[in-house]
Amino acid sequence: MKTVLVTGYKAAELGIFSLKHPGIAIIKKALKNQILALMEEGLEWVIVSGQWGVELWAAEAVLELKESGQELQLAVITPFLAQEENWSDEKKEIYNRVIQHADYVNSVTKSKYDGPWQFKQKDQFLLRNSDALILLYDEENVGSPRFIKEQALHHARTGEYPIYSITASDLQSIVEEEQAEYYE
């Protein structure tokens, strides 16, 4: 496995509206753990589309792993041009830092937002051009990731395409581990 697509909830779907929310660090730790495990199986590239939430946190996690000396590449392939143009300045700053440090940046459609079809095209393109999926999603908290999950399950039926899920219980386990370490 050379490339993995990482996606999941948008920040608002998780109730995360602050850049200082403690849940972000927990999510990034879960993503790092999964990415490191896949690196042992030959993972070289992590792909995200750069949406605000799990995808940008995954990109930040990859950049942190790279800074610590891990051999890993980051691709940001957006559904359309200028997806961040209506974001807050703080979010744009994080997005631009990720874009500046990514190893590859491109857009599936070469225009600004034109309609929901661009998200579907992006999902299809990214699934075709990755070897596996890391999905932060919980069946009990339905949200936008269900669309790519359905496509990924269909994609997996036509060939080998592993789907690695990170659920609410996985995140809770990390919280409990960190609390145990804190009180030791």
Side-chain angles (χ1 to χ4, degrees):
M1 169 187 332
K2 301 257 186 236
T3 62
V4 68
L5 171 60
V6 180
T7 192
Y9 295 103
K10 296 175 184 132
E13 291 177 300
L14 294 168
I16 296 177
F17 300 100
S18 165
L19 300 178
K20 294 175 177 62
H21 192 286
I24 295 171
I26 300 302
I27 290 168
K28 284 169 71 172
K29 185 170 185 177
L31 292 165
K32 280 183 186 177
N33 290 347
Q34 184 64 66
I35 289 166
L36 286 167
L38 294 177
M39 287 179 70
E40 292 178 15
E41 297 176 29
L43 178 65
E44 296 174 8
W45 281 89
V46 172
I47 304 170
V48 298
S49 72
Q51 78 179 9
W52 182 253
V54 169
E55 291 194 19
L56 270 182
W57 302 327
E60 287 182 310
V62 168
L63 294 176
E64 290 167 13
L65 288 169
K66 287 176 65 158
E67 285 173 18
S68 72
Q70 296 292 335
E71 293 287 324
L72 192 58
Q73 310 247 17
L74 174 64
V76 180
I77 303 174
T78 64
F80 47 85
L81 300 174
Q83 76 172 344
E84 79 288 0
E85 73 181 343
N86 295 324
W87 295 2
S88 71
D89 288 342
E90 270 185 315
K91 291 178 183 176
K92 283 181 186 175
E93 189 178 315
I94 292 168
Y95 179 80
N96 288 326
R97 186 171 54 244
V98 165
I99 293 298
Q100 288 170 358
H101 292 94
D103 299 287
Y104 180 79
V105 179
N106 208 338
S107 290
V108 175
T109 61
K110 307 300 182 201
S111 62
K112 288 189 174 188
Y113 181 75
D114 187 43
W117 64 271
Q118 289 168 302
F119 293 106
K120 191 171 185 171
Q121 288 242 308
K122 176 245 332 172
D123 290 349
Q124 291 170 348
F125 178 85
L126 295 178
L127 288 168
R128 272 195 322 271
N129 289 284
S130 59
D131 300 318
L133 174 67
I134 297 174
L135 180 66
L136 193 141
Y137 185 66
D138 198 315
E139 295 294 334
E140 293 176 22
N141 186 14
V142 176
S144 63
R146 82 172 191 272
F147 299 111
I148 196 162
K149 181 180 183 191
E150 290 167 5
Q151 287 186 52
L153 288 169
H154 178 74
H155 191 64
R157 281 187 222 112
T158 62
E160 188 174 322
Y161 192 83
I163 300 170
Y164 302 94
S165 293
I166 299 173
T167 65
S169 64
D170 296 325
L171 298 176
Q172 184 61 39
S173 294
I174 290 173
V175 169
E176 290 167 5
E177 285 171 23
E178 295 209 342
Q179 287 174 340
E181 288 172 17
Y182 180 79
Y183 290 109
E184 282 181 357

